[in-house]
Amino acid sequence: MYKKILCAVDITSEGESILAKANALAEQYGSELSMVHVIEYTFLPKDYQKKLKQEVLPKVHSMADQYSLKKKNRFVKFGQSYVQICDLVKKHDIDLVVIGSHGKHGVKALLGSTANAVLQQVECDVLLVKLNS
Ligand code: AMP
């Protein structure tokens, strides 16, 4: 049903539960699973960007290793989360995005700001993982 699933994680413990659900769906549908974490900084000197990336990569890899994600399917991007997520959806023909209902930005209205923006911008399906904390 879904060929390509993209899971958006903000590398918190909740990110792990979102990725676990995305992986269960990928197994069920025989889909290719990717994950993305966005470092929400722009306009930083290249050296500093590199340093930030080096800091998050071990966490991204340790999450991705749990589900044997291919290296090419582990994305770390810079910028605004929803912009980067939507960009990947287009570039990689993603047909399902798995995303948390809220994250570090807290509960805003019914949906977190990232989930809301992604839902409005992508043409594919979006699975919202309801987070209670
Ligand atoms: P928020 O907009 O912070 O309420 O987060 C809602 C959901 O968007 C989170 O549970 C994640 O699935 C996703 N998300 C938030 N921030 C990021 C990020 N920096 N990189 C990737 N996904 C994110």
Side-chain angles (χ1 to χ4, degrees), residues 8-10 18 36-38 81 99-100 102-106 112-114 131:
V9 290
D10 60 4
I18 298 168
V36 57
H37 172 67
V38 183
S81 296
I99 194 165
H102 62 272
K104 61 186 167 310
H105 298 120
S113 51
T114 311
L131 303 169

Side-chain angles (χ1 to χ4, degrees), residues 17-60:
S17 73
I18 298 168
L19 187 59
K21 288 194 176 167
N23 181 65
L25 277 176
E27 282 183 351
Q28 189 177 338
Y29 292 121
S31 326
E32 184 171 1
L33 178 62
S34 310
M35 68 178 274
V36 57
H37 172 67
V38 183
I39 301 170
E40 293 181 310
Y41 288 99
T42 43
F43 310 119
L44 285 176
K46 283 272 177 261
D47 280 359
Y48 193 54
Q49 287 196 9
K50 214 169 161 184
K51 187 173 168 279
L52 286 177
K53 194 168 177 176
Q54 292 312 320
E55 280 172 19
V56 303
L57 273 178
K59 180 70 182 167
V60 167

